[in-house]
Amino acid sequence: MNCNLTPLNGLLLLTPTVYTDARGHFFESFNAKTFKQVAGIQPEFVQTNESLSRRGVLRGLHWQTAPKAQGKLVRVVHGAVFDVAVDLRENSETFGQWYGCELSSANHVQLWIPPGFAHGFLTLTDTAITSYQVTEHHSPEHEHCLAWNDPVLNIDWPLKQAGVARPTLSPKDEQGMAFTSLS
């Protein structure tokens, strides 16, 4: 597994070693020992989530606050998404900055999102199945949502690549809060 740093401290891109032959492919999507060796951390996952999304669906930007903050290891099992993480750690030198990348079943790239980040993704293919392991159970009373189109964050969502003028959102995500309301 290769581990690459992103511009946001603690946010990591992980690419597993993929073994391909005439039958298809095999890789370890998570191995605690390897993860510790390449990333320097050993998260304890308590839940695995999976979502199926259609082209142009945007999920997020979600996060949970302490004491229920979640770390996430995100990957795409089928299709492709543009995945985004926003640093909401108030004492971080990259507070308020975002990072986005394409995660797909073709590139096998995974994103480690530490606790204290908001997370969301835009589906780029007809369908995408996203799987993510989390370090804390879902807690509705600690869950929050940032507006996907917040003008301060100014996230460059690839809407044209997704083939939509405006993404499809859940009612909850339609009500996402402004970044400026966090301070």
Side-chain angles (χ1 to χ4, degrees):
M1 177 174 284
N2 291 323
C3 179
N4 293 302
L5 304 176
T6 69
L8 306 184
N9 187 28
L11 186 70
L12 305 173
L13 287 174
L14 301 156
T15 307
T17 302
V18 180
Y19 302 95
T20 305
D21 63 23
R23 299 169 296 164
H25 72 261
F26 170 85
F27 66 91
E28 291 180 342
S29 61
F30 178 76
N31 177 311
K33 182 179 174 184
T34 304
F35 198 88
K36 174 101 170 135
Q37 288 172 341
V38 300
I41 53 177
Q42 197 159 11
E44 292 185 30
F45 296 117
V46 299
Q47 184 174 317
T48 302
N49 302 321
E50 182 175 292
S51 67
L52 169 69
S53 303
R54 306 212 185 294
R55 181 182 293 278
V57 166
L58 192 149
R59 296 182 185 263
L61 298 156
H62 306 141
W63 83 103
Q64 288 185 186
T65 52
K68 299 293 183 179
Q70 292 179 320
K72 297 179 181 179
L73 181 60
V74 183
R75 72 186 189 102
V76 171
V77 178
H78 170 79
V81 304
F82 182 72
D83 206 89
V84 171
V86 180
D87 190 349
L88 299 180
R89 303 169 299 175
E90 291 182 8
N91 295 326
S92 171
E93 59 194 34
T94 57
F95 174 75
Q97 294 180 29
W98 66 273
Y99 176 80
C101 64
E102 185 171 314
L103 303 180
S104 73
S105 56
N107 69 18
H108 307 290
V109 173
Q110 300 178 72
L111 188 62
W112 164 250
I113 304 169
F117 278 74
H119 170 249
F121 62 86
L122 172 67
T123 307
L124 302 176
T125 50
D126 287 341
T127 59
I129 298 174
T130 304
S131 177
Y132 50 103
Q133 297 179 80
V134 295
T135 60
E136 184 60 60
H137 294 283
H138 180 243
S139 177
E141 57 272 14
H142 295 92
E143 184 180 39
H144 304 281
C145 180
L146 278 175
W148 70 277
N149 58 350
D150 185 273
V152 174
L153 296 175
N154 196 29
I155 297 171
D156 189 15
W157 295 101
L159 298 175
K160 186 179 270 189
Q161 185 180 351
V164 296
R166 188 176 196 292
T168 302
L169 304 168
S170 72
K172 177 177 77 173
D173 291 352
E174 286 278 3
Q175 302 300 314
M177 67 176 72
F179 176 75
T180 54
S181 69
L182 299 179
S183 347

